[in-house]
């Protein structure tokens, strides 16, 4: 296991530590496509979770392009583990946005930097679906006489559930300001994953991203202190926070897609160096069919890389609304190109790619499941079309 990093965590340090881990991480998921506790322990020991925590709290303060390179590298080894780390990067960055952390959130930031803890959002509801599709937040938060909060509800699709240290739980608050006529509002609360009343229901049984452990989480009368409210998720949060969140979300997911595609390419190229299957001398690489599919793999991969690198550069700081629209479009296009890469890698390998022992099957399945990470295709196309026609200056995530 890699020794824990101390002091500043540079991109070079983190990537070097990750590269040491990649062979064993890849071997684990190749042996069994499921969550591996050893992998999450290795990622913590290598300092990957704290890499994005702002330097003010003792973390690495990674930029979006730096985070993207880490996620892309990890995704080539284990896309599910990369998805868990991606959610931590996205929500850890938003949670600790410098404009808004309260006392409780600031203390959490220091803890995350010191312990390489993992956080994720618990938002989607069992009975109402994803908030990005207009699903209501049915989890309830009731304020106690001492200012504490009592949370009860049932969340779905909590990625990394079994590995998380803290949950960011969205809940509807009634009469938050004492005004009986006010509309209920949704707030977000920091909840320790091991708090009394938190229970994981192992519901995640999918054909792809199997290792993400995106199980249901039930909150049954969970008590958190008054300062557990995460202001960065308030409805009236500053638009630059929302835009930054949207860019990180779209482009880190695209980084996963690209990492999967690059792993599929490697499988195909290794296969191409093997002996011909028709008994003739030479390697498969000399066959025209192999060369054609190799070329199509390269062309699709080139487009995905150029698109992602350009969008990461544009969104490195606080992105403009148009940049966020481009980021979401980049997610859509990178996924399409990555899917083409895997398709042509499978065609190059031929029938051997359909065996469960081939990693190409896992890459194909992981990309199909990743297709449904929001924003979905129809939402992106609507935003791109409205932006092109001058009907929406705010973008997809504002």
């Amino acid at each position: 296991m890699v020794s824990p990093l101390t002091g500043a965590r540079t991109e070079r340090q983190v990537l070097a530590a990750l590269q040491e881990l990649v062979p064993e991480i890849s071997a684990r998921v190749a042996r069994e496509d499921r969550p591996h506790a050893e992998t999450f322990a290795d990622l913590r020991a290598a300092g990957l979770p704290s890499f994005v925590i702002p330097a003010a709290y003792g973390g690495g303060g990674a930029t979006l392009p730096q985070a993207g390179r880490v996620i892309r590298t990890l995704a080539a080894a284990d896309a599910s583990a990369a998805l868990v780390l991606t959610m931590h990067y996205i929500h850890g960055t938003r949670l600790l946005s410098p404009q808004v952390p309260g006392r409780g959130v600031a203390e959490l930031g220091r803890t995350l930097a010191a312990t390489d803890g993992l956080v994720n959002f618990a938002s989607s509801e069992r009975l109402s679906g994803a908030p990005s599709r207009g699903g209501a937040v049915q989890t309830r938060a009731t304020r106690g006489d001492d200012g504490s909060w009592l949370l009860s509800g049932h969340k779905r699709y909590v990625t990394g559930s079994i590995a998380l240290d803290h949950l960011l739980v969205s809940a509807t608050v009634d009469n938050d300001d004492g005004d009986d006529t006010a509309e209920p509002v949704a707030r977000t609360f920091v909840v320790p994953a091991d708090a009394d009343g938190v229970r994981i229901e192992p519901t995640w049984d999918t054909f792809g991203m199997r290792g993400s452990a995106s199980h249901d989480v039930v909150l049954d009368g969970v008590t958190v202190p008054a300062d557990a409210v995460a202001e960065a998720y308030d409805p009236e949060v500053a638009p630059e926070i929302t835009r930054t969140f949207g860019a990180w979300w779209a482009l880190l997911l695209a980084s996963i897609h690209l990492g999967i595609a690059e792993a599929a390419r490697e499988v195909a190229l290794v296969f191409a160096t093997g002996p011909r299957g028709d008994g003739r001398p030479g390697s498969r690489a000399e066959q025209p069919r192999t060369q054609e599919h190799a070329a199509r793999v390269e062309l699709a991969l080139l487009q995905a890389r150029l698109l992602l690198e350009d969008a990461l550069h544009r969104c490195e700081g606080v992105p403009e609304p148009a940049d966020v629209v481009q980021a979401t479009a980049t997610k859509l296009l990178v996924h399409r190109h990555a899917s083409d890469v895997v398709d042509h890698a499978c065609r190059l390998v031929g029938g051997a790619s359909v065996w469960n022992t081939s990693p190409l099957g896992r890459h194909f399945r992981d990309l199909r499941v990743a297709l449904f990470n929001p924003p979905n295709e129809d939402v992106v196309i609507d935003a791109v079309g409205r932006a092109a026609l001058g009907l929406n200056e705010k973008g997809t995530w504002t």
Side-chain angles (χ1 to χ4, degrees), residues 93-95 97-100 231-233 237-247 318 397:
T93 299
R94 177 166 181 168
L95 175 73
S97 177
Q99 297 94 323
V100 292
E231 304 290 344
Y233 292 87
V237 71
E240 57 267 26
I241 294 176
T242 306
R243 294 202 302 271
T244 301
F245 169 79
V318 177
W397 292 88

Side-chain angles (χ1 to χ4, degrees), residues 10 22 33 82 124 132 138 182 213 250 258 272 274 292 298 302 309 311 321 323 388:
T10 66
V22 159
D33 190 8
S124 295
S132 62
Q138 298 188 16
L258 180 55
E292 177 189 352
E298 294 300 299
L302 176 62
E309 288 169 6
D323 294 327

Side-chain angles (χ1 to χ4, degrees), residues 216-299:
D216 287 17
V217 173
V218 177
L219 300 103
D220 186 7
V222 178
T223 300
V224 293
D227 61 5
V229 177
E231 304 290 344
Y233 292 87
D234 277 2
E236 302 302 322
V237 71
E240 57 267 26
I241 294 176
T242 306
R243 294 202 302 271
T244 301
F245 169 79
W248 277 66
W249 181 282
L251 297 181
L252 290 189
L253 288 174
S255 297
I256 295 176
H257 306 159
L258 180 55
I260 294 171
E262 289 174 330
R265 172 186 184 268
E266 289 305 308
V267 173
L269 293 184
V270 168
F271 180 86
T273 62
R276 294 172 62 120
D278 56 8
R280 298 179 182 179
S283 71
R284 296 186 183 97
E286 297 169 354
Q287 296 177 291
R289 183 184 68 84
T290 299
Q291 294 168 13
E292 177 189 352
H293 288 302
R296 293 185 184 279
V297 164
E298 294 300 299
L299 291 171

Side-chain angles (χ1 to χ4, degrees), residues 18 70 112:
L18 178 57
V70 169
L112 293 174

Side-chain angles (χ1 to χ4, degrees), residues 47-379:
L48 267 69
S50 61
F51 185 44
V52 299
I53 303 301
Y57 299 100
T63 64
L64 176 56
Q66 290 173 331
R69 286 187 282 272
V70 169
I71 294 300
R72 177 175 163 184
T73 301
L74 179 56
D78 184 342
S80 292
L83 182 61
V84 175
L85 190 64
T86 290
M87 292 298 113
H88 167 77
Y89 278 7
I90 292 168
H91 291 290
T93 299
R94 177 166 181 168
L95 175 73
L96 298 169
S97 177
Q99 297 94 323
V100 292
R103 183 172 60 86
V105 171
E107 181 60 33
L108 175 59
R110 289 186 285 271
T111 299
L112 293 174
T115 65
D116 278 287
L118 290 166
V119 300
N120 192 14
F121 203 44
S123 180
S124 295
E125 300 277 359
R126 186 174 66 92
L127 298 176
S128 61
S132 62
R133 291 288 185 178
V137 179
Q138 298 188 16
T139 298
R140 313 301 292 188
T142 304
R143 189 189 288 273
D145 294 337
D146 61 352
S148 64
W149 296 93
L150 188 70
L151 306 177
S152 293
H154 191 143
K155 298 294 186 178
R156 299 202 76 184
Y157 310 123
V158 183
T159 298
S161 57
I162 62 173
L164 300 177
D165 297 275
H166 289 83
L167 303 164
L168 304 176
V169 177
S170 60
T172 296
V173 177
D174 293 319
N175 305 323
D176 189 22
D177 58 3
D179 182 0
D180 291 338
T181 65
E183 289 289 328
V185 297
R187 308 291 296 276
T188 298
F189 300 84
V190 178
V191 179
D194 61 357
D196 289 342
V198 175
R199 184 177 79 255
I200 296 173
E201 291 191 352
T203 53
W204 187 248
D205 185 18
T206 57
F207 65 75
M209 289 292 184
R210 294 184 59 80
S212 69
S214 302
H215 298 310
D216 287 17
V217 173
V218 177
L219 300 103
D220 186 7
V222 178
T223 300
V224 293
D227 61 5
V229 177
E231 304 290 344
Y233 292 87
D234 277 2
E236 302 302 322
V237 71
E240 57 267 26
I241 294 176
T242 306
R243 294 202 302 271
T244 301
F245 169 79
W248 277 66
W249 181 282
L251 297 181
L252 290 189
L253 288 174
S255 297
I256 295 176
H257 306 159
L258 180 55
I260 294 171
E262 289 174 330
R265 172 186 184 268
E266 289 305 308
V267 173
L269 293 184
V270 168
F271 180 86
T273 62
R276 294 172 62 120
D278 56 8
R280 298 179 182 179
S283 71
R284 296 186 183 97
E286 297 169 354
Q287 296 177 291
R289 183 184 68 84
T290 299
Q291 294 168 13
E292 177 189 352
H293 288 302
R296 293 185 184 279
V297 164
E298 294 300 299
L299 291 171
L301 201 54
L302 176 62
Q303 294 177 83
R305 285 171 173 164
L306 292 175
L307 281 166
L308 182 56
E309 288 169 6
D310 178 66
L312 286 167
H313 173 72
R314 288 175 179 269
C315 296
E316 183 169 355
V318 177
E320 296 298 321
D323 294 327
V324 181
V325 175
Q326 179 183 338
T328 58
T330 298
K331 170 185 173 288
L332 173 65
L333 293 172
V334 168
H335 186 276
R336 288 180 178 177
H337 293 312
S339 298
D340 284 344
V341 169
V342 175
D343 181 58
H344 284 288
C346 288
R347 293 179 185 219
L348 187 156
V349 170
S353 67
V354 306
W355 292 92
N356 285 327
T357 53
S358 171
L360 289 174
R362 185 178 74 254
H363 299 325
F364 177 85
R365 295 190 303 272
D366 284 346
L367 273 175
R368 293 309 298 173
V369 172
L371 179 67
F372 300 102
N373 288 131
N376 296 124
E377 182 170 340
D378 59 327
V379 175

